[in-house]
Amino acid sequence: MLCLVIGATGYVGARLVPRLLDAGHDVRVLARDARRVAARPWGDQVQVHVGDVADPAATAAACQGIDAVFYLVHMMDATGRSEFRQRDLDAARAFARSAADAGVARIVYLGGLQPATGPNSAHLASRHEVGEAFLASGVPTAVLQAGIVVGAGSASFEMLRHLASSAPLLPMPDDAYHRIQPIAIDDVLHHLLACLDLPPQLNAAFDIGGPDVLTYRDMLVGYAEVAGYPLVGVPVTLPVSPAAAARAVEAVTPVDRHLAGPLLESMAYDLVCHGEPPTSVPPGGPTPYAEAVRRALAAEGAAGPMPADPTGFELVSQRVEHVDAPVAQLWGVISGIGGRAGWYTVPGVWALRGKLDELFGGIGARRTRPDRLEPGAALDWWRVEAVEDGRMLRLRAEARLPGVARLEMRAEPDGPRSRYVQRTTFEPVGLPGRLYWYAQLPAHAFVFAVMARTIAGVAERRITRPG
């Protein structure tokens, strides 16, 4: 069967494509950027049509000869504009016409669980409207309505994961006590593939979920238990606007506020299954929530992260210095850093930092300089993570820290001169990591500012003059 996947580089799509290939199906993808497809492990095993789902000409070409379509895109993933709901619906209707004209035999759409009665959030209403548009298209459609998808890289799961690890006491608004029926990513993939075996004329919506009906508080505490974090949910009734809540989530998770906002609005409703899945249950039965979390943390199969997934939360500090020297001269200073040359900052500060690290069982301020800068090489208390000769050096700290610290140094052209870009990042682990970052921030800002200015100055003084 020739299957077209819309949203193949997204969270679910990137995991569905290899499952389709393993099942013996041929796969075509419609993508705006062919490079993102090529970067996937399966990129050379699929047909690629370059285009936008909102472009009728692109969708008409992509649908030619297709047996089944998996439609896995939502406009709110790509824009923070308020009109995402209309954009989503317009794109779905236009695509449905392309599919009908091309004689596509089946559309499979992944939507969201809906409240049993009453009002709805804009996010959930949009998914419902798109599903209805496909069901009314004349092309036999299976609409799968799922709750929170549990797996590393899922926006809802990453938001939950980072919130659960942010503090041992977490304020819980009233919406945190609404019920939700989460589902493991492996179970979602099972149901998507099973839709290819539905009766040819079947046209209906189905709810899919795991075996556990939980509150959002239950999910946060349950995640913390599996991950080994202490977490107590504290009920609060503080009035917080959706925009403020979304910005707060963006501050402590890798989820953008434009995506967090609609997800948070959906917390105001009970979202549980009211019907049966379209076909058989997954092998071994639906995956319990705790097991789905364990698989995500253990990076097992589809539950593990992929390179493009928003799994890491980074605290970032960056400095840029304009250097009156060519790029090659600046790179010479960057590539010669460490060892006897030192780190071009406040004298004695790294030696003191090394002594403190030794007290806590770390490696200290060892003086090790490799013959060649290459990934994996030790450079004092850092490990080389990536090198672009003449341009970039990225290091990962090996000191004992409540998180992962990196230092990236770049030499960029700036006309006949150059620009030095120094970027420090920290991926905190739990509350101790966040407290460490903010406690050290003033000292780090001073130390790394001195380092940036000194590196720029050294590069300028080393300019070779004709003689």
Side-chain angles (χ1 to χ4, degrees):
M1 188 176 290
L2 179 56
C3 300
L4 173 63
V5 180
I6 309 295
T9 58
Y11 173 69
V12 175
R15 290 159 171 80
L16 175 64
V17 169
R19 293 289 183 98
L20 289 168
L21 294 171
D22 289 346
H25 299 292
D26 295 318
V27 177
R28 179 184 298 166
V29 304
L30 177 65
R32 288 175 293 183
D33 188 347
R35 292 172 298 180
R36 294 184 63 189
V37 177
R40 297 289 180 173
W42 40 262
D44 60 350
Q45 302 175 55
V46 301
Q47 304 173 22
V48 182
H49 278 236
V50 177
D52 194 295
V53 69
D55 179 1
T59 57
C63 284
Q64 294 302 311
I66 291 295
D67 298 304
V69 172
F70 291 90
Y71 194 92
L72 307 173
V73 295
H74 306 286
M75 293 301 173
M76 77 163 195
D77 295 338
T79 177
R81 300 174 186 171
S82 59
E83 68 268 20
F84 79 86
R85 185 169 168 180
Q86 189 60 50
R87 286 162 52 85
D88 224 351
L89 184 57
D90 290 345
R93 286 172 172 166
F95 181 85
R97 288 192 292 270
S98 294
D101 291 344
V104 171
R106 164 72 61 200
I107 294 175
V108 182
Y109 171 64
L110 182 61
L113 287 173
Q114 301 293 312
T117 59
N120 207 346
S121 71
H123 158 53
L124 293 175
S126 175
R127 294 201 173 191
H128 176 71
E129 291 163 354
V130 168
E132 290 297 305
F134 283 134
L135 291 170
S137 68
V139 179
T141 297
V143 175
L144 301 186
Q145 301 181 144
I148 287 178
V149 178
V150 182
S154 161
S156 296
F157 179 72
E158 291 303 326
M159 188 167 72
L160 180 148
R161 179 169 75 91
H162 285 273
L163 287 172
S165 63
S166 63
L169 295 176
L170 194 64
M172 299 284 181
D174 291 343
D175 287 347
Y177 295 88
H178 285 284
R179 298 182 304 150
I180 186 73
Q181 196 161 348
I183 182 169
I185 179 59
D186 287 291
D187 293 2
V188 172
L189 298 176
H190 168 84
H191 290 304
L192 286 169
L193 262 73
C195 287
L196 296 178
D197 297 323
L198 292 172
Q201 297 307 311
L202 188 144
N203 191 60
F206 304 91
D207 291 348
I208 58 173
D212 302 312
V213 176
L214 308 167
T215 65
Y216 290 93
R217 177 194 177 279
D218 293 336
M219 293 182 66
L220 285 162
V221 174
Y223 172 88
E225 289 177 353
V226 177
Y229 296 140
L231 177 64
V232 177
V234 181
V236 295
T237 56
L238 296 176
V240 180
S241 70
R247 287 186 179 276
V249 167
E250 184 179 50
V252 296
T253 79
V255 180
D256 181 88
R257 68 180 184 277
H258 298 310
L259 181 55
L263 296 176
L264 289 171
E265 289 176 10
S266 301
M267 287 178 57
Y269 308 93
D270 287 334
L271 300 174
V272 298
C273 295
H274 300 287
E276 296 298 321
T279 56
S280 63
V281 298
T287 306
Y289 174 69
E291 172 61 13
V293 171
R294 187 200 66 77
R295 291 180 187 176
L297 294 177
E300 291 184 2
M306 289 186 170
D309 291 337
T311 57
F313 172 61
E314 286 188 333
L315 298 162
V316 180
S317 177
Q318 180 169 296
R319 293 195 63 86
V320 177
E321 295 286 340
H322 294 278
V323 185
D324 191 13
V327 169
Q329 199 74 33
L330 175 58
W331 176 250
V333 180
I334 294 172
S335 60
I337 203 165
R340 292 184 179 180
W343 292 83
Y344 302 107
T345 189
V346 180
V349 68
W350 289 126
L352 176 60
R353 179 66 183 83
K355 293 295 184 184
L356 292 174
D357 189 50
E358 287 179 355
L359 287 176
F360 289 96
I363 63 173
R366 67 186 180 196
R367 290 293 182 185
T368 303
R369 171 136 190 106
D371 295 332
R372 180 182 177 187
L373 290 178
E374 58 186 0
L379 178 59
D380 291 351
W381 59 94
W382 303 88
R383 184 72 59 176
V384 178
E385 198 168 68
V387 182
E388 295 178 20
D389 192 42
R391 296 186 58 191
M392 185 273 290
L393 173 63
R394 186 168 66 243
L395 308 172
R396 184 184 71 251
E398 294 196 311
R400 292 182 67 85
L401 299 171
V404 179
R406 291 182 174 88
L407 169 63
E408 183 174 294
M409 296 170 281
R410 285 185 171 273
E412 299 180 348
D414 187 16
R417 306 164 65 210
S418 60
R419 182 171 54 245
Y420 174 60
V421 180
Q422 179 177 285
R423 190 170 189 263
T424 56
T425 64
F426 186 66
E427 295 179 19
V429 174
L431 180 62
R434 287 170 171 81
L435 292 177
Y436 168 84
W437 171 266
Y438 291 112
Q440 297 289 324
L441 193 56
H444 280 186
F446 176 67
V447 167
F448 283 108
V450 171
M451 179 178 172
R453 287 195 296 268
T454 306
I455 287 175
V458 170
E460 292 173 345
R461 291 193 297 272
R462 287 186 182 178
I463 296 177
T464 301
R465 292 178 171 82

